[in-house]
Each structure stands twice: as structure tokens, then as C-alpha cells.
Amino acid sequence: MEPMQLVIGGDLISTASHQEIRSPSTGEVVGLMPLATEADLDRAVRAAANAFESWKTTSDAERVDACRRIAATIEQHAEELARLLTLEQGKPLGGLGSRFEIGGAVAWTRHTGEIALPVEVLQDGPEGRVELHRKPIGVVGSITPWNWPVMIACWHIVPAIRAGNTVIIKPSPNTPLSTIRLVQLINEVVPPGVVNVITGDNRIGAAMSRHSGIAKVTFTGSTATGRRIMENAAPTLKRLTLELGGNDAGIVLPDADPKAIAEGLFWGAFINSGQTCACLKRLYVHDSIYDEVCRELAAYASSVPVGDGLSETSVLGPLQNKMQYDIVASCVADAREKGGRVLVGGDPQGGPGYFYPLTLVADVDHGCKLVDIEQFGPALPIIRYRTVEEAIAKANDSAMGLGGSVWGKDLARAKEVAARLECGSVWINRHGTIQPNAPFGGVKQSGIGVEFGAEGLKEFTTVQTVFC
Ligand code: NAD
């Protein structure tokens, strides 16, 4: 098997050593990730800094065109990228899996590429004219996780270059292959050095956060790593966008129709086998309809086929890695010990791959790991509440604040409850649906800054105020 190569300054660069990347479904080796050194990082920073000198002077029209070309090449290579993604990440090709993710990458690239940030005139009168200009920051370091690697790579790369920056992306060592291929394709349509990829273990991410040649880090991953990045970035006062973990609550109000909402609740919680930052991770259901909601959800969950992502009949796949599998298993074991009632799933079959069954646990409350921490997997705790005040207080009783949802027939009432949730996005009768024109980000310890839309694009700029 030929090892993959880094892409630095438009060149494919071999490394002395590699790491095997294994399928989470079968354990088979599916690729070899190049292990970059700090010298490779320095080289990438030099390449990106050189490219920045000309890229920052390109016109808006040139950058719009570059984004269009990127979207087109991803689209042309969609099936190849989807297969690579399934091999290393595990998610099925179909359904809300790899093809869906590549489609999302194209949609976000297209939309973001067309957003403009024209000069704003703040004042224009006898006392003078004041203009607000947005300028690129410089070399952006992008650090991505293993759950939606291709789509998140585009969420980082595209606004960065659209705003005139250049990029070094470092994907997760769990899922590097599809990002390397993506950057190879991007390099066929943008000038050398504008987008570079280096891969390696977590130390390369830490080195990027410290590097004096990197002006901004955009990071998607866990809250613990976000804190380390902030610490390492402090001496050079890097600009940061941090999209971190979540422990999203959903509140089902007494007037909700259990049968009608079961499908939406299920996909809110189980998309990508629960390995999504803004998945529904704690479900609060009113006592009066608790048993019915449990029954409907269990019936829906039992109908969803889980299997090897390469099989077209699989709708959900395995967990991506052993660490995450162990976290989910320990959360469910702890919930059981504390009196949780497993409605479906809970007992993995063993065998190859990190398959954990779709699991619903009823009769749990705060004080058990499945509720208190981010499980990031296919196991949903269902918590009974008696008053809406109690549900709101419990939903907000978390250090996280990424998303939240409210489910019920009375829209005005649902919106009232939604407004009281402490989170960056809130949905009514759905959960986790994001779109490229709507800002997305966390409050509290779920992050700093937003992505998407004009607000997200602004994060890749500095403001220059011109008094004339
Ligand atoms: P992680 O924090 O372990 O790793 C993410 C990336 O950070 C990887 O590329 C990793 O190599 C790198 N990294 C690790 N240590 C580093 C360090 N000290 N300095 C710099 N980089 C370092 O996260 P993960 O396990 O890949 O992803 C799962 C987590 O990500 C979950 O908590 C999830 O909620 C969160 N997430 C958040 C969002 C969001 O938009 N808010 C999206 C996806 C995932």
C-alpha cells in the first residue's frame, strides 16, 4: 500500500514514517498516514506565508471563482471521497452518511464562496468619513476532528481563503485520509501554498497552536483540547475560533405528539451514530407522555439497520475508535448501575469493529455519566420531568451550551421555552439541523466564536477602521 503524502506549497511531500489507518468496521488497514515532523510544519508555515503575500491581494472575483472551482472538484470526485471517508470513519455511504457529508461540503463551499464583506461606511458627513474594512489575518491553522472530517475541513478552509488568508490544515490522526485527498484536489484549482495539509499525532496540533507564524487557529473538537489550544496560543495572542463539545438537551412538552416526533428525536440523537457535536444528548420528557415517547422511540430505533458502512443496506455504522466506544460503554454501564432501564440496545455483540448497538436508557437522571457528560455515541438517556420549570433548570444545568431543542404543538409556547435555554442554537420540533447561511457556535464551554454565514466569515478577518 502506497503511503499518502503531505501537501505543502503545492508539492506532494513524503515523510520518513507513517501510521496505519484502520477501518472501524473491520479493523483492516485502509491507508497509511504520513507522520509530519515539526520541520514539516515550519515548511508548511513558510509556504503558506509566501502564498499569503499574493493571495491577500487577489480580488473578490478571483476568490469567489476559486471557491466555485473547489466546489466543482469536490463534486466531481464525490464518490471517491465518500468511499475514502467510509473506509476510515465508518459511516455508511448512503443515508445521512458519507455521500451526504460530501454533498454538505459542496453546499457549504458554494454558499460561503459567494458571501461578500463589502466596506461599511460608518459615517459620511461634514465631520468626515469613517469606513470599516475587513482584512485577512494571515496564515490560518485548522485543526479538525474525526466525526465529519471532510465537511468540517471545508467549514474551515473555505471561509479562510474566501477572506484572503492561507491555510494549513491538520486533520485528526483517526481520519486523515479523506482530508489529504481533499487538499490534493483543492491544490489542482488554487495556487500553491494557499491550502496545505500536514498530518501526524496530537503534538503537531499543539505545535501549530504555539507557532509564531500562524496568526489564527480555527478548531473543532473537544472542550479539553480547546483549552490546551487557548493556553498554547496565548503567548502569540492568536485569533481563535473554537467549536467544542456539547451536551445538548431536548425538552418534550406535554402537548407533543409522541408518534409524530419519534423520527425527528431519533435522528437528532443518532445521526452519525451520535458522534456529532450538536446531537441531542439528553432527552427530557413530560411525565404525562413519558411512556408513550419511550415506546415510539424504541420502536423507531429497533427498525434502523446498523452495519459496515460499505454495505448499501447499512443506515448507521460503528463508532470511529476504541476510545469513544469505551466512553459510551462505560456511560451505559454507569446508567444501569444507577437504576437506568435499557429500552433497546445496551449489549454489544463483540466481533470485529467498534459497533455499539443503538441504545435508549429510561428512568435516569442527573448524577449519572450518561446524562452529565458528552457520550458522543449511540446511547440516549431519557429523563422524566414533572414541571417545565424543572426541565428548563435541568437542561441549563451543564457547563456546555452548544444546541438545544423544544418539542410541542403550541409553537409560541415552545419558543418561550426555547428562549430560556442557554445554548448557541435552538430548534423547535427538530434538532441539530444546520445550514450554511445561519451562524453556528456554542456558549459557555462549548466554544468561542461562530461559523457559517457572514458572521462566520468575519471571524477570518481583522477590522481596519479608515478615517478619511
Ligand atoms: P479532540 O479534541 O480529541 O481532537 C480534535 C483535533 O485536535 C484532532 O485533530 C487532534 O489531533 C487535535 N489535538 C489533540 N490534542 C491537541 C492539542 N494539544 N493541541 C492542538 N490540537 C490537538 O476531539 P475529537 O475526539 O477528534 O472530536 C470529538 C469532540 O469534538 C467531541 O467533544 C465533540 O463534541 C467535538 N466536536 C465539536 C464540534 C463543534 O462544532 N462544536 C464539531 C465536531 C466535534
Side-chain angles (χ1 to χ4, degrees), residues 143-147 152 170-173 202 205-206 209 219-223 225 228-229 232 243-246 277 281 323 374 376 402 440 446 451:
I143 303 176
T144 53
W146 44 259
N147 55 350
I152 293 175
K170 190 211 79 64
S172 165
N202 295 343
S209 329
F219 170 73
T220 303
S222 63
T223 299
T225 304
R228 275 181 225 119
I229 289 174
N232 285 329
E243 295 291 354
L244 308 177
C277 49
K281 291 173 181 148
M323 182 200 75
E374 181 183 33
F376 215 62
L402 194 57
F440 174 74
S446 284
E451 298 186 280

Short mmCIF file of all heavy atoms in Angstrom, two decimals, residues 143-147 152 170-173 202 205-206 209 219-223 225 228-229 232 243-246 277 281 323 374 376 402 440 446 451, ligand 1:
data_model
loop_
_atom_site.label_atom_id
_atom_site.label_comp_id
_atom_site.label_asym_id
_atom_site.label_seq_id
_atom_site.Cartn_x
_atom_site.Cartn_y
_atom_site.Cartn_z
N ILE A 143 -7.56 22.84 12.71
CA ILE A 143 -7.40 21.55 13.40
C ILE A 143 -8.79 20.91 13.49
O ILE A 143 -9.72 21.52 14.03
CB ILE A 143 -6.78 21.74 14.80
CG1 ILE A 143 -5.43 22.47 14.68
CG2 ILE A 143 -6.62 20.40 15.50
CD1 ILE A 143 -4.77 22.81 16.02
N THR A 144 -8.93 19.70 12.94
CA THR A 144 -10.28 19.13 12.77
C THR A 144 -10.42 17.78 13.50
O THR A 144 -9.43 17.10 13.76
CB THR A 144 -10.60 18.95 11.27
OG1 THR A 144 -9.55 18.20 10.66
CG2 THR A 144 -10.74 20.29 10.57
N PRO A 145 -11.66 17.39 13.79
CA PRO A 145 -11.93 16.13 14.48
C PRO A 145 -12.26 14.99 13.50
O PRO A 145 -12.20 15.18 12.29
CB PRO A 145 -13.14 16.48 15.33
CG PRO A 145 -13.91 17.42 14.47
CD PRO A 145 -12.91 18.17 13.62
N TRP A 146 -12.66 13.84 14.05
CA TRP A 146 -12.83 12.64 13.23
C TRP A 146 -14.28 12.31 12.92
O TRP A 146 -14.57 11.28 12.32
CB TRP A 146 -12.20 11.43 13.93
CG TRP A 146 -12.49 11.32 15.40
CD1 TRP A 146 -11.65 11.68 16.42
CD2 TRP A 146 -13.68 10.84 16.03
NE1 TRP A 146 -12.24 11.46 17.65
CE2 TRP A 146 -13.50 10.95 17.44
CE3 TRP A 146 -14.90 10.35 15.56
CZ2 TRP A 146 -14.47 10.57 18.37
CZ3 TRP A 146 -15.88 9.98 16.47
CH2 TRP A 146 -15.66 10.09 17.86
N ASN A 147 -15.23 13.16 13.31
CA ASN A 147 -16.63 12.76 13.14
C ASN A 147 -17.21 13.13 11.76
O ASN A 147 -17.89 12.35 11.13
CB ASN A 147 -17.49 13.30 14.28
CG ASN A 147 -17.37 14.80 14.45
OD1 ASN A 147 -16.51 15.44 13.84
ND2 ASN A 147 -18.22 15.37 15.27
N ILE A 152 -16.18 19.40 7.86
CA ILE A 152 -15.57 20.38 8.78
C ILE A 152 -14.33 20.99 8.15
O ILE A 152 -14.06 22.19 8.30
CB ILE A 152 -15.30 19.74 10.16
CG1 ILE A 152 -16.63 19.40 10.84
CG2 ILE A 152 -14.48 20.68 11.05
CD1 ILE A 152 -16.53 18.65 12.16
N LYS A 170 -4.70 20.47 9.71
CA LYS A 170 -4.22 19.24 10.35
C LYS A 170 -5.45 18.43 10.77
O LYS A 170 -6.13 18.75 11.74
CB LYS A 170 -3.38 19.56 11.59
CG LYS A 170 -2.69 18.31 12.11
CD LYS A 170 -2.48 18.31 13.60
CE LYS A 170 -3.71 17.96 14.39
NZ LYS A 170 -4.21 16.59 14.18
N PRO A 171 -5.77 17.38 10.01
CA PRO A 171 -6.92 16.56 10.38
C PRO A 171 -6.61 15.67 11.57
O PRO A 171 -5.45 15.52 11.97
CB PRO A 171 -7.15 15.71 9.13
CG PRO A 171 -5.83 15.64 8.45
CD PRO A 171 -5.09 16.90 8.79
N SER A 172 -7.67 15.07 12.13
CA SER A 172 -7.48 14.12 13.22
C SER A 172 -6.67 12.94 12.74
O SER A 172 -6.89 12.43 11.64
CB SER A 172 -8.84 13.64 13.71
OG SER A 172 -8.69 12.49 14.51
N PRO A 173 -5.75 12.43 13.57
CA PRO A 173 -5.00 11.23 13.18
C PRO A 173 -5.90 10.00 13.04
O PRO A 173 -5.48 8.99 12.50
CB PRO A 173 -3.99 11.04 14.31
CG PRO A 173 -4.41 11.93 15.43
CD PRO A 173 -5.31 12.99 14.86
N ASN A 202 -1.15 14.22 17.92
CA ASN A 202 -1.67 15.45 18.54
C ASN A 202 -0.59 16.51 18.75
O ASN A 202 -0.89 17.70 18.86
CB ASN A 202 -2.32 15.11 19.89
CG ASN A 202 -3.55 14.23 19.70
OD1 ASN A 202 -4.07 14.14 18.60
ND2 ASN A 202 -3.99 13.59 20.76
N GLY A 205 -0.65 19.32 16.37
CA GLY A 205 -1.68 20.32 16.68
C GLY A 205 -1.20 21.30 17.73
O GLY A 205 -1.41 22.52 17.62
N ALA A 206 -0.53 20.76 18.76
CA ALA A 206 -0.02 21.64 19.82
C ALA A 206 1.04 22.58 19.24
O ALA A 206 1.05 23.78 19.56
CB ALA A 206 0.56 20.79 20.95
N SER A 209 -0.56 25.41 17.46
CA SER A 209 -1.15 26.42 18.36
C SER A 209 -0.09 27.36 18.92
O SER A 209 -0.39 28.48 19.26
CB SER A 209 -1.87 25.77 19.54
OG SER A 209 -2.41 24.55 19.20
N PHE A 219 -10.57 25.74 15.29
CA PHE A 219 -10.52 24.38 15.86
C PHE A 219 -11.90 23.83 16.08
O PHE A 219 -12.78 24.52 16.60
CB PHE A 219 -9.77 24.43 17.20
CG PHE A 219 -9.87 23.14 17.98
CD1 PHE A 219 -9.17 22.01 17.59
CD2 PHE A 219 -10.67 23.06 19.12
CE1 PHE A 219 -9.26 20.82 18.31
CE2 PHE A 219 -10.76 21.86 19.84
CZ PHE A 219 -10.06 20.75 19.44
N THR A 220 -12.11 22.59 15.71
CA THR A 220 -13.33 21.87 16.06
C THR A 220 -12.92 20.59 16.75
O THR A 220 -12.15 19.80 16.19
CB THR A 220 -14.16 21.54 14.80
OG1 THR A 220 -14.44 22.76 14.12
CG2 THR A 220 -15.47 20.87 15.17
N GLY A 221 -13.38 20.40 17.96
CA GLY A 221 -13.01 19.20 18.70
C GLY A 221 -13.49 19.31 20.13
O GLY A 221 -14.44 20.03 20.42
N SER A 222 -12.81 18.61 21.01
CA SER A 222 -13.30 18.53 22.39
C SER A 222 -12.97 19.80 23.18
O SER A 222 -12.03 20.53 22.85
CB SER A 222 -12.67 17.32 23.08
OG SER A 222 -11.28 17.49 23.15
N THR A 223 -13.72 20.01 24.24
CA THR A 223 -13.50 21.19 25.10
C THR A 223 -12.12 21.11 25.75
O THR A 223 -11.41 22.12 25.86
CB THR A 223 -14.62 21.27 26.15
OG1 THR A 223 -15.86 21.41 25.44
CG2 THR A 223 -14.45 22.45 27.08
N THR A 225 -9.35 19.81 24.60
CA THR A 225 -8.31 20.22 23.64
C THR A 225 -8.43 21.72 23.35
O THR A 225 -7.42 22.41 23.20
CB THR A 225 -8.43 19.40 22.34
OG1 THR A 225 -8.36 18.02 22.67
CG2 THR A 225 -7.33 19.73 21.36
N ARG A 228 -6.46 23.55 25.84
CA ARG A 228 -5.00 23.46 25.61
C ARG A 228 -4.58 24.38 24.48
O ARG A 228 -3.55 25.04 24.53
CB ARG A 228 -4.61 22.01 25.27
CG ARG A 228 -4.40 21.21 26.51
CD ARG A 228 -3.98 19.78 26.19
NE ARG A 228 -4.75 18.92 27.05
CZ ARG A 228 -5.60 17.98 26.65
NH1 ARG A 228 -5.76 17.72 25.37
NH2 ARG A 228 -6.28 17.29 27.51
N ILE A 229 -5.41 24.45 23.44
CA ILE A 229 -5.08 25.32 22.31
C ILE A 229 -5.05 26.77 22.78
O ILE A 229 -4.14 27.54 22.44
CB ILE A 229 -6.08 25.11 21.16
CG1 ILE A 229 -5.81 23.73 20.53
CG2 ILE A 229 -5.99 26.23 20.12
CD1 ILE A 229 -6.81 23.32 19.48
N ASN A 232 -1.84 27.36 24.66
CA ASN A 232 -0.67 27.40 23.78
C ASN A 232 -0.68 28.63 22.87
O ASN A 232 0.38 29.07 22.41
CB ASN A 232 -0.59 26.13 22.93
CG ASN A 232 -0.12 24.93 23.74
OD1 ASN A 232 0.64 25.09 24.69
ND2 ASN A 232 -0.60 23.76 23.40
N GLU A 243 -14.89 25.57 18.20
CA GLU A 243 -16.18 24.87 18.20
C GLU A 243 -15.97 23.59 18.99
O GLU A 243 -15.30 22.67 18.52
CB GLU A 243 -16.60 24.53 16.76
CG GLU A 243 -16.89 25.74 15.90
CD GLU A 243 -18.13 26.49 16.31
OE1 GLU A 243 -18.87 26.04 17.21
OE2 GLU A 243 -18.37 27.57 15.73
N LEU A 244 -16.52 23.53 20.20
CA LEU A 244 -16.13 22.46 21.12
C LEU A 244 -17.28 21.49 21.37
O LEU A 244 -18.19 21.38 20.57
CB LEU A 244 -15.60 23.10 22.40
CG LEU A 244 -14.52 24.16 22.17
CD1 LEU A 244 -14.08 24.80 23.47
CD2 LEU A 244 -13.30 23.58 21.44
N GLY A 245 -17.20 20.81 22.47
CA GLY A 245 -18.20 19.78 22.74
C GLY A 245 -19.56 20.34 23.10
O GLY A 245 -19.73 21.54 23.31
N GLY A 246 -20.52 19.45 23.17
CA GLY A 246 -21.87 19.85 23.57
C GLY A 246 -22.49 18.75 24.41
O GLY A 246 -22.01 17.61 24.42
N CYS A 277 -21.32 16.92 17.23
CA CYS A 277 -21.25 17.87 18.34
C CYS A 277 -22.64 18.30 18.77
O CYS A 277 -22.95 18.33 19.96
CB CYS A 277 -20.38 19.06 17.95
SG CYS A 277 -20.83 19.76 16.38
N LYS A 281 -28.38 14.98 23.21
CA LYS A 281 -27.65 14.05 24.09
C LYS A 281 -28.34 13.79 25.43
O LYS A 281 -27.92 12.93 26.19
CB LYS A 281 -26.22 14.58 24.31
CG LYS A 281 -25.41 14.47 23.01
CD LYS A 281 -24.05 15.10 23.03
CE LYS A 281 -23.40 14.92 21.66
NZ LYS A 281 -22.52 15.99 21.28
N MET A 323 -11.49 4.46 21.86
CA MET A 323 -11.65 5.37 22.99
C MET A 323 -13.12 5.78 23.13
O MET A 323 -13.71 5.74 24.21
CB MET A 323 -10.78 6.62 22.79
CG MET A 323 -10.83 7.59 23.93
SD MET A 323 -10.30 9.24 23.44
CE MET A 323 -11.72 9.81 22.50
N GLU A 374 -20.64 14.26 27.91
CA GLU A 374 -20.98 14.07 26.50
C GLU A 374 -20.63 12.64 26.09
O GLU A 374 -19.46 12.29 26.02
CB GLU A 374 -20.17 15.07 25.66
CG GLU A 374 -20.46 14.98 24.20
CD GLU A 374 -19.59 15.93 23.38
OE1 GLU A 374 -18.43 16.17 23.74
OE2 GLU A 374 -20.10 16.40 22.35
N PHE A 376 -21.22 11.17 23.14
CA PHE A 376 -20.72 11.19 21.76
C PHE A 376 -20.83 9.81 21.11
O PHE A 376 -19.88 9.28 20.55
CB PHE A 376 -19.27 11.69 21.73
CG PHE A 376 -18.93 12.53 20.52
CD1 PHE A 376 -19.58 13.71 20.26
CD2 PHE A 376 -17.92 12.12 19.64
CE1 PHE A 376 -19.26 14.47 19.16
CE2 PHE A 376 -17.60 12.88 18.52
CZ PHE A 376 -18.27 14.06 18.30
N LEU A 402 -24.07 24.20 23.49
CA LEU A 402 -23.99 24.23 22.02
C LEU A 402 -25.39 24.37 21.41
O LEU A 402 -25.73 25.39 20.84
CB LEU A 402 -23.27 22.96 21.52
CG LEU A 402 -22.82 22.99 20.07
CD1 LEU A 402 -21.90 24.16 19.80
CD2 LEU A 402 -22.12 21.69 19.70
N PHE A 440 -23.46 29.40 13.58
CA PHE A 440 -23.48 28.23 14.48
C PHE A 440 -22.28 28.31 15.41
O PHE A 440 -21.15 28.50 14.96
CB PHE A 440 -23.43 26.94 13.65
CG PHE A 440 -23.30 25.69 14.46
CD1 PHE A 440 -24.38 25.19 15.17
CD2 PHE A 440 -22.09 25.01 14.53
CE1 PHE A 440 -24.26 24.04 15.93
CE2 PHE A 440 -21.96 23.85 15.29
CZ PHE A 440 -23.05 23.36 15.99
N SER A 446 -18.88 25.50 25.39
CA SER A 446 -18.98 24.85 24.08
C SER A 446 -18.24 25.61 22.99
O SER A 446 -18.24 25.17 21.84
CB SER A 446 -20.45 24.67 23.68
OG SER A 446 -21.01 23.60 24.41
N GLU A 451 -19.35 29.89 13.32
CA GLU A 451 -19.05 29.54 11.94
C GLU A 451 -20.30 29.80 11.10
O GLU A 451 -21.40 29.88 11.65
CB GLU A 451 -18.67 28.06 11.84
CG GLU A 451 -17.43 27.70 12.63
CD GLU A 451 -17.02 26.25 12.40
OE1 GLU A 451 -17.61 25.36 13.01
OE2 GLU A 451 -16.10 26.04 11.58
P1 NAD B 1 -10.11 16.07 20.03
O1 NAD B 1 -10.17 17.32 20.77
O2 NAD B 1 -9.52 14.88 20.71
O3 NAD B 1 -9.27 16.23 18.69
C1 NAD B 1 -9.59 17.18 17.73
C2 NAD B 1 -8.34 17.58 16.98
O4 NAD B 1 -7.44 18.21 17.89
C3 NAD B 1 -7.57 16.43 16.35
O5 NAD B 1 -7.09 16.86 15.10
C4 NAD B 1 -6.42 16.23 17.33
O6 NAD B 1 -5.26 15.67 16.73
C5 NAD B 1 -6.14 17.66 17.75
N1 NAD B 1 -5.44 17.80 19.02
C6 NAD B 1 -5.38 16.95 20.06
N2 NAD B 1 -4.64 17.46 21.07
C7 NAD B 1 -4.24 18.69 20.66
C8 NAD B 1 -3.51 19.75 21.27
N3 NAD B 1 -3.00 19.64 22.50
N4 NAD B 1 -3.34 20.88 20.57
C9 NAD B 1 -3.86 21.03 19.34
N5 NAD B 1 -4.55 20.06 18.71
C10 NAD B 1 -4.75 18.91 19.35
O7 NAD B 1 -11.60 15.82 19.55
P2 NAD B 1 -12.15 14.60 18.74
O8 NAD B 1 -12.11 13.44 19.70
O9 NAD B 1 -11.45 14.46 17.43
O10 NAD B 1 -13.64 15.03 18.44
C11 NAD B 1 -14.67 14.81 19.33
C12 NAD B 1 -15.03 16.07 20.09
O11 NAD B 1 -15.18 17.16 19.20
C13 NAD B 1 -16.35 15.98 20.81
O12 NAD B 1 -16.23 16.52 22.11
C14 NAD B 1 -17.29 16.85 20.01
O13 NAD B 1 -18.37 17.38 20.68
C15 NAD B 1 -16.37 17.87 19.48
N6 NAD B 1 -16.88 18.43 18.24
C16 NAD B 1 -17.37 19.69 18.25
C17 NAD B 1 -17.92 20.25 17.11
C18 NAD B 1 -18.48 21.64 17.12
O14 NAD B 1 -18.69 22.21 16.06
N7 NAD B 1 -18.72 22.23 18.26
C19 NAD B 1 -17.93 19.50 15.94
C20 NAD B 1 -17.40 18.22 15.95
C21 NAD B 1 -16.86 17.70 17.11
#
